[in-house]
Amino acid sequence: MTLNPQVEALLGFFAQMPPIDYETITPEALREANRPMQMGPPPAVAEVRDLTLDLPGRTIAARLYKPEGAGENVPLVLFYHGGGWVIGSIETHDASARALAVASGAAVLSVDYRLAPETPFPGPLDDCHDALLWAVDHAADLGIDKGRLAVAGDSAGGNLAAAVAIRARDAGGPKLAHQLLIYPVTDTNFENGSYTENAEGYFLTTRMMQWFWMHYVGDHGDPHPEAAVLRHDNLAGLPPATVLVAQYDPLRDEGLDYAEALKKAGVPVETELAPGMIHGFFSMFEAVPDAMPYIERAGARLKAALA
């Protein structure tokens, strides 16, 4: 399988931008370079509400989306954005959260967790987990059903969604109906097949991932199992999962390996490999319309799990 033509055109556009030197770039400079790019009108939803979440010892922002026809007491998907724990925001993933709300029929709460290196591991995970608890406590105000909950995220957000599922299990709740892991970060093995095959040229690079891990955990030689979730010794009893990976993605193999580890632990898993696609394609659907069927299928799996 060769690159999807729409992806190939987008990579050509990215190639015209100044290269980034990950030996010298600062987090602040990369965030500036990663400001939201509007590629088209975002998917329409019935309600968008900006929120401030009062968590223990800090406040963070979040944004609630409700799709048309959702009605009252709707299920809720907690969505955690990607960006290597260092960049990204509810603004960069506004269209993704809207699309997921439309596809799933559920409300989506997009969480603006604190970023590394100012807030390294486990700070972002603490925010994502505590946002789940906050949503349950404020279910009546949000108009959501606290008995129908799921987590979702892309890349570093997929990592956080997986870790929230583990932490929620270990802390005795809330019970999650599903975890949607979109090309999730799960390990620090930069020698595996997909890191070697896709080291450069496909948007996300091996060097970028090493840079992100350095800022998130520091020494990534022996990361905590809530950071590198593939290394966790107990994955039993976790919610059913959808794991979506892309063919031309350094993270492909660790995503597939995590799906297999979940299956071995007795967790129901649906795995999908997107041929011809690159890391980030799920949130590039405005420029890559061929990504839409993947969003629709992911939404359908959430809808079924939350029914």
Side-chain angles (χ1 to χ4, degrees), residues 187-277:
D187 200 9
T188 60
N189 175 15
F190 305 113
E191 306 298 324
N192 70 24
S194 58
Y195 263 117
T196 303
E197 295 164 22
N198 306 311
E200 294 182 3
Y202 300 111
F203 181 60
L204 180 69
T205 69
T206 297
R207 181 67 190 98
M208 287 169 67
M209 281 307 307
Q210 292 168 334
W211 188 90
F212 285 137
W213 271 112
M214 177 188 69
H215 286 296
Y216 187 45
V217 301
D219 179 6
H220 46 67
D222 186 24
H224 192 283
E226 279 191 350
V229 290
L230 184 57
R231 304 189 184 204
H232 204 285
D233 61 5
N234 179 17
L235 300 178
L238 292 174
T242 295
V243 181
L244 174 61
V245 298
Q247 180 183 7
Y248 294 100
D249 183 353
L251 304 186
R252 181 194 67 215
D253 288 357
E254 65 192 66
L256 294 174
D257 288 347
Y258 191 64
E260 285 303 310
L262 289 172
K263 288 178 187 176
K264 287 179 181 176
V267 177
V269 181
E270 287 197 66
T271 307
E272 187 166 8
L273 170 63
M277 292 294 178

Side-chain angles (χ1 to χ4, degrees), residues 92-111:
T92 60
H93 285 64
D94 176 73
S96 300
R98 289 168 176 266
L100 206 54
V102 172
S104 66
V108 170
L109 185 67
S110 183
V111 178

Side-chain angles (χ1 to χ4, degrees), residues 76-78 148-153 161-162 164-165 175-181 238-243 267-270 297-306:
L76 180 70
V77 178
L78 280 286
R148 293 188 292 161
L149 300 166
V151 289
V164 166
K175 185 171 175 58
L176 298 171
H178 203 74
Q179 49 180 326
L180 170 60
L181 311 179
L238 292 174
T242 295
V243 181
V267 177
V269 181
E270 287 197 66
R297 284 194 291 274
R301 288 167 189 156
L302 285 168
K303 183 178 287 188
L306 293 165

